[in-house]
Amino acid sequence: MNFASPAFWPPTTQEIVFLLLGVIAVGSAVLVVTTRQLVHAALWLVVSFGALAGGYLVLTAEFVAWVQILIYVGAIVVLLLFGIMLTRAPIGRSADLDSGNQIAALVVGVATAGVLVSVLVAGFRHAYMPLTPGAGAAKPLGSSIFRTWVLPFEALSVLLLAALIGAIVLSRTDIRGR
Amino acid sequence: MHVVYPAVISALLFSVGVYGVLARRNAILVLMSVELMLNAVNLNLVAFDVWLRDQLHGGQVLTLFVIVIAAAEVGLGLAIVLAVFRTRRTVDVDRLRDLAEPDFPQPSPNGQAKVRESS
Amino acid sequence: MITIAALIVLLPFLGAAGGLLLSRVGGGPISARAGVPTRAIWFAILPTAGSALLTVWLAVQAAKGDGTGAFWDSWFPAEASGQLTVVDTGAVPISVGLAVTGLSVLVGILVVVVALGVQVYSVGYLHGDSRYPSYSAFISLFTSAMLLVVYSGDLLVLYVGWEVMGLCSYLLIGHWWEEKANSRSAVKAFLVTRLGDVGFLFGIFTLGMAAKSFRISDILAAQLPTATVVTATLLLLAGVAGKSAQVPLHTWLPDAMAGPTPISALIHAATMVAAGIFIVARLYPLFLAAQPTRDVLAVSAALGMLGAALAALAQDDLKRVLAYSTISQLAYMAAALAAGSDEAAIFHLTTHGAFKALLFLCAGAVIHHVGSNLMSRMGGLRAAMPLTFVTMTIGFAALMGLPPASGFFSKDAVIAAVEHARLTDAAQLLLYASALVTVGVTGAYATRAWLRTFFGPTQVEALPEPEPGTAHVFDGREAPPSMLWPIGILAIPALALGWTSVVELDLGSAAIDLVIALLGAGVVYAFWRSAPTRDPARLLGPFYGPCARAFYLDTVYAMVFVRPVLWLAQGVVHTDATLVDGAVRGSGRATLGLSRFVRLAQNGNAQLYVTGLLAGVLLIAVGAVVLG
């Protein structure tokens, strides 16, 4: 699995594209957690997820990339926007989106980043992966899911059903707890 | 491609998600931050799957599962947020203080703690 | 014989236990005449009477045979001793045993006679007192303790009785503890005598360690080095001064008059204060060998007898007059002991026990009758209380040393002994001069008290309400028979004891004493004749104030000892309250404060909890990476 690791400089085109997408993803994620407008946060989330999907494509995981676009950008963000609407959140700028915990959160966040980055860099400094196109296409992935991972897949469908019922029970007002 | 690049980006994304979970007041924004963290994990899974050349594609399959679970989580989470909103007329997490003790035992002058009657 | 002695000691003790435990059980009848539970009266009187009878029997037994030496040895020559058990202490063993000697028998007779009289008298005096059962039980306990002191064959057993006496004294002085002054007097008496007892205990230790035994007979037989004897006797002297109210530990006795009058008669005139003198006489060979101790005793006695007599001259409270007179008379006994004549001392102790108990009981009758202790409220009682008048006159005559009363003979014996004392010249001169002057002063104050009480215009006021303690409503009648009988019986020995002629009468010195006493009495009488309403104590002129306040000794003690101790106590209390309690409370408060601080994290904000959780996970991860 370990291949002769080429030098970091000069970077390949794939690396440049990936890094650009990564910078976009991280930057828009930062905007998600700092913006003062609720709806903008959801929209920056779309950008971040989109950039990640691009990153998946560069990493040759095409199927995952499309699923990412479909479910995250198409479903989850829409759900979140519905949530924003239903909780009658202010649409414009609001000053109090951050709690008083900001400084502690910043410290913990930075510390997390420091620890993770230093550990990952230390651990995988010399790891290199050559990218083979088509490795993550729908066909190999589908056959893998429905052969090897079919049991977890079924369990997951039951979980999804339970979540569906749970969401209905929680959101309907005419079902009262005993 | 060096493994370090996706790994570092996922770590940064995860940290941003951590910050968001801890710093944001609106429950929906907290949910968004959780999604960010999940995505960071997904990126890691995909990167290592590609690096390890897994014939069973465990990493990418698990990514798909995580996406599904994330969808279910957002659905349930939003339902909970809506239920909270209906009863409390607010979704600010730092104003939901029911976890705190209801009252503090005041020390009386003779040194014995006296728990005030809570109605 | 030793069984009889043990029974004599034990009977009052059982009476005390019975009186304390059983007097009120199941109700029982209340005596109509005395107003106290009948059973308590039986518990009080019967054991003491039994002891008295047994003592008579013991005396008869002891009188067999011939003996030489001091007069008590020729009266009661038979001696006996026995021991119940030996307590092995690891060092010097304690033998729990009694010893009957002539001196024990003599003093034992005095104790039981006075105790019986007081028990009978108390029935009348404490009419209707709700605490009579405990009171009489304490008297019984006291009697038992005193008899233990008298009959004990071992110094530590003796010390047990000695301390129980102190306890009973405290309890009985504070009988009317509702009044703050009374309980204060009780505490004062307790503390002052305890101070002396510390020395006494260490004296016992010194003797016991030197002689390798606490048995009195062994100690007297042992050949002890002079230094040890002097140290031990000086230490013992502290206890003697405390118990017998000698200078400088005498201040508790006048205040002890806060107790009921029978207690003053029993404990603080006749028996307990005599215990100190008795101890010195019991261990007399040691004291004879210790010349410095006797010099100290002589100086103390010389100061005490004159000072107390002068103080007695200026008191208005009849009982305080008698209290100071007790101190003065005890100083006479101490003087005789210092001079080397234990016979004179014990003779005076016996007669003094009789006449001072008589005087106190008479004073009690007068106080009972008048409702006040103050002589300025008395006067002219001769007609209303004829029997008390006659008996008290006998008592005063004995006190002054007028023939034919007993005091004449005993006091003459003391003064003759002092005249021929074997002491240091200066001490002897001081003692002799002081003794002679005191005779005159004694005549003066006795005459003054006698005149102010029984003669002159009537000053009695009827009190609307009987105060707790001394006062009863004036009813113009003689005291009840239960009080008169003991008075009458005690008057006989007070009058006649001197004729036993145990010590040869020195006619020359007796004549001098008589003249001086009559001189003192005459001066007071002349003053009184000229102005019957004025207090003859005004004769003292500018010395009246210091005499009335007993030469400010209490004030000095208060300034020198009491106040520093109180300050120290306050400091200790303050330290305890702020430092020790402060540390305890402070630790509690610190815990509460710290918990309140920690509790800030427990504010219900889930975000904060998650922050803490993640921070902890990070720390663990870092730790795992760095350490692992």
Side-chain angles (χ1 to χ4, degrees):
Chain A
M1 275 175 278
N2 274 316
F3 304 91
S5 173
F8 280 93
W9 194 264
T12 60
T13 322
Q14 291 161 331
E15 281 172 354
I16 292 170
V17 173
F18 184 83
L19 281 178
L20 281 176
L21 285 170
V23 167
I24 292 171
V26 172
S28 51
V30 168
L31 285 169
V32 167
V33 297
T34 52
T35 180
R36 297 203 173 278
Q37 296 195 41
L38 210 46
V39 181
H40 286 195
L43 297 178
W44 282 120
L45 200 62
V46 171
V47 175
S48 178
F49 289 166
L52 267 180
Y56 292 154
L57 275 180
V58 174
L59 290 174
T60 70
E62 317 161 13
F63 186 69
V64 175
W66 298 126
V67 171
Q68 165 94 357
I69 299 284
L70 276 175
I71 295 186
Y72 262 115
V73 181
I76 292 181
V77 173
V78 172
L79 255 181
L80 287 170
L81 283 170
F82 265 108
I84 291 169
M85 203 171 70
L86 286 173
T87 55
R88 290 174 209 163
I91 300 300
R93 296 173 72 86
S94 51
D96 58 345
L97 284 180
D98 287 322
S99 64
N101 204 24
Q102 220 170 347
I103 294 168
L106 193 63
V107 170
V108 172
V110 170
T112 311
V115 170
L116 287 178
V117 168
S118 56
V119 168
L120 286 172
V121 167
F124 300 100
R125 201 169 45 235
H126 303 300
Y128 187 79
M129 48 180 173
L131 297 173
T132 324
K139 192 181 174 204
L141 213 57
S143 63
S144 181
I145 287 177
F146 291 108
R147 282 189 188 138
T148 316
W149 305 103
V150 69
L151 204 59
F153 180 81
E154 291 299 330
L156 199 66
S157 60
V158 174
L159 176 79
L160 208 56
L161 180 67
L164 187 71
I165 296 169
I168 291 169
V169 169
L170 279 170
S171 51
R172 276 185 62 174
T173 50
D174 53 344
I175 300 176
R176 302 196 58 83
R178 255 177 287 211
Chain B
M1 181 186 270
H2 285 94
V3 178
V4 171
Y5 295 136
V8 166
I9 284 171
S10 90
L12 290 177
L13 211 53
F14 186 84
S15 305
V16 171
V18 165
Y19 170 79
V21 167
L22 299 184
R24 290 306 229 177
R25 169 177 282 166
N26 193 299
I28 293 172
L29 282 173
V30 172
L31 278 177
M32 290 181 194
S33 306
V34 171
E35 296 307 320
L36 281 178
M37 287 158 77
L38 284 170
N39 269 290
V41 172
N42 285 349
L43 181 56
N44 240 2
L45 283 172
V46 169
F48 280 90
D49 179 84
V50 172
W51 178 47
L52 297 173
R53 293 177 178 276
D54 189 358
Q55 292 302 311
L56 298 176
H57 288 295
Q60 295 196 29
V61 171
L62 195 58
T63 305
L64 292 177
F65 287 176
V66 167
I67 289 172
V68 172
I69 290 175
E73 177 247 319
V74 165
L76 266 179
L78 280 174
I80 291 171
V81 168
L82 285 179
V84 168
F85 180 75
R86 273 205 298 274
T87 52
R88 302 292 172 97
R89 316 306 303 168
T90 180
V91 289
D92 292 352
V93 285
D94 57 352
R95 285 168 68 188
L96 305 172
R97 296 286 180 99
D98 279 3
L99 281 177
E101 269 179 67
D103 207 344
F104 188 73
Q106 294 293 326
S108 63
N110 57 8
Q112 284 174 328
K114 188 177 63 184
V115 179
R116 234 183 281 147
E117 299 288 322
S118 56
S119 56
Chain C
M1 210 157 106
I2 208 70
T3 320
I4 303 171
L7 276 178
I8 293 172
V9 175
L10 275 179
L11 265 180
F13 180 75
L14 293 177
L20 276 178
L21 293 176
L22 303 175
S23 280
R24 292 179 197 272
V25 175
I30 303 286
S31 164
R33 279 165 65 196
V36 291
T38 314
R39 215 188 299 157
I41 299 177
W42 290 123
F43 271 126
I45 292 177
L46 279 185
T48 315
S51 269
L53 287 177
L54 286 171
T55 306
V56 171
W57 190 19
L58 184 69
V60 171
Q61 294 280 318
K64 290 171 185 163
D66 290 323
T68 51
F71 67 89
W72 51 83
D73 284 332
S74 54
W75 283 4
F76 307 112
E79 292 195 354
S81 67
Q83 67 184 29
L84 184 65
T85 176
V86 175
V87 182
D88 199 3
T89 58
V92 181
I94 304 167
S95 59
V96 181
L98 301 180
V100 178
T101 62
L103 183 61
S104 311
V105 175
L106 182 69
V107 180
I109 292 171
L110 173 73
V111 171
V112 291
V113 168
V114 176
L116 184 58
V118 164
Q119 283 284 24
V120 174
Y121 181 92
S122 298
V123 175
Y125 192 82
L126 284 162
H127 179 95
D129 193 309
S130 63
R131 285 201 295 274
Y132 173 77
S134 65
Y135 164 88
S136 60
F138 291 146
I139 295 185
S140 294
L141 185 59
F142 168 81
T143 311
S144 172
M146 179 76 194
L147 289 168
L148 183 62
V149 168
V150 169
Y151 289 117
S152 168
D154 185 279
L155 275 180
L156 278 177
V157 176
L158 182 148
Y159 187 71
V160 171
W162 182 270
E163 288 297 337
V164 173
M165 281 201 300
L167 172 70
C168 290
S169 160
Y170 163 76
L171 291 169
L172 290 167
I173 293 170
H175 179 67
W176 289 306
W177 45 260
E178 288 91 342
E179 204 140 325
K180 190 84 182 156
N182 293 354
S183 62
R184 278 178 184 220
S185 305
V187 171
K188 181 177 177 183
F190 194 73
L191 289 181
V192 173
T193 48
R194 210 54 59 240
L195 186 65
D197 289 349
V198 174
F200 190 74
L201 186 59
F202 278 84
I204 290 177
F205 288 156
T206 311
L207 284 179
M209 296 321 264
K212 299 280 180 285
S213 165
F214 286 119
R215 286 169 58 126
I216 297 175
S217 49
D218 291 351
I219 289 171
L220 293 182
Q223 294 292 321
L224 300 177
T226 315
T228 311
V229 171
V230 170
T231 315
T233 48
L234 276 174
L235 284 168
L236 286 177
L237 208 56
V240 168
K243 218 51 153 189
S244 288
Q246 288 304 294
V247 175
L249 296 179
H250 65 282
T251 53
W252 63 271
L253 188 60
D255 287 348
M257 297 300 128
T261 308
I263 298 310
S264 308
L266 171 66
I267 295 183
H268 308 121
T271 54
M272 187 180 92
V273 292
I277 305 297
F278 167 80
I279 288 300
V280 178
R282 187 84 169 80
L283 300 172
Y284 203 59
L286 295 176
F287 282 83
L288 271 182
Q291 171 86 19
T293 309
R294 284 190 294 121
D295 282 341
V296 170
L297 186 62
V299 173
S300 158
L303 291 176
M305 67 171 71
L306 185 57
L310 284 171
L313 184 55
Q315 301 299 317
D316 191 34
D317 185 326
L318 181 56
K319 282 175 74 178
R320 285 180 85 89
V321 171
L322 294 177
Y324 278 113
S325 128
T326 304
I327 297 175
S328 173
Q329 297 301 310
L330 287 165
Y332 267 113
M333 299 169 208
L337 290 171
S341 169
D342 52 343
E343 275 191 300
I346 292 299
F347 186 30
H348 197 51
L349 187 152
T350 317
T351 58
H352 172 260
F355 73 71
K356 188 51 68 67
L358 172 69
L359 277 173
F360 264 110
L361 294 186
C362 289
V366 169
I367 289 163
H368 191 85
H369 176 82
V370 173
S372 168
N373 280 7
L374 301 180
M375 286 193 289
S376 51
R377 295 278 194 80
M378 300 171 185
L381 294 175
R382 188 179 23 159
M385 314 181 70
L387 187 67
T388 311
F389 169 63
V390 171
T391 49
M392 204 160 182
T393 307
I394 294 172
F396 276 130
L399 178 62
M400 287 165 69
L402 297 184
S406 57
F408 169 69
F409 299 94
S410 60
K411 197 179 281 186
D412 171 64
V414 170
I415 290 174
V418 170
E419 195 180 345
H420 308 296
R422 287 170 292 166
L423 279 168
T424 323
D425 281 347
Q428 195 220 341
L429 202 63
L430 175 70
L431 192 58
Y432 187 52
S434 178
L436 285 183
V437 174
T438 307
V439 169
V441 180
T442 306
Y445 73 71
T447 313
R448 166 176 174 263
W450 185 61
L451 289 172
R452 301 255 299 155
T453 308
F454 290 106
F455 292 87
T458 307
Q459 309 275 348
V460 176
E461 295 169 22
L463 292 173
E465 276 291 314
E467 284 176 34
T470 54
H472 293 258
V473 178
F474 174 60
D475 54 4
R477 278 179 297 148
E478 185 66 282
S482 62
M483 290 167 69
L484 286 181
W485 273 103
I487 292 175
I489 289 171
L490 270 177
I492 297 167
L495 189 64
L497 257 182
W499 295 100
T500 49
S501 67
V502 290
V503 183
E504 263 184 53
L505 193 61
D506 186 333
L507 275 179
S509 97
I512 298 173
D513 300 343
L514 193 56
V515 167
I516 296 174
L518 285 176
L519 193 69
V523 170
V524 169
Y525 182 71
F527 184 88
W528 180 79
R529 280 294 289 198
S530 63
T533 52
R534 284 194 66 195
D535 186 353
R538 295 286 163 200
L539 271 173
L540 288 167
F543 294 111
Y544 176 76
C547 288
R549 302 282 305 278
F551 309 102
Y552 304 112
L553 210 57
D554 268 335
T555 322
V556 172
Y557 282 0
M559 265 166 44
V560 176
F561 300 113
V562 178
R563 239 175 268 164
V565 169
L566 284 180
W567 282 337
L568 195 67
Q570 273 168 357
V572 169
V573 166
H574 190 70
T575 312
D576 183 51
T578 54
L579 226 71
V580 179
D581 283 8
V584 175
R585 293 215 188 90
S587 64
R589 243 177 249 143
T591 311
L592 277 177
L594 202 65
S595 66
R596 206 172 299 155
F597 174 71
V598 171
R599 202 178 166 281
L600 285 180
Q602 186 76 13
N603 58 2
N605 187 353
Q607 273 186 326
L608 196 69
Y609 298 175
V610 177
T611 310
L613 189 71
L614 285 176
V617 168
L618 273 178
L619 286 178
I620 291 171
V622 170
V625 168
V626 170
L627 299 176

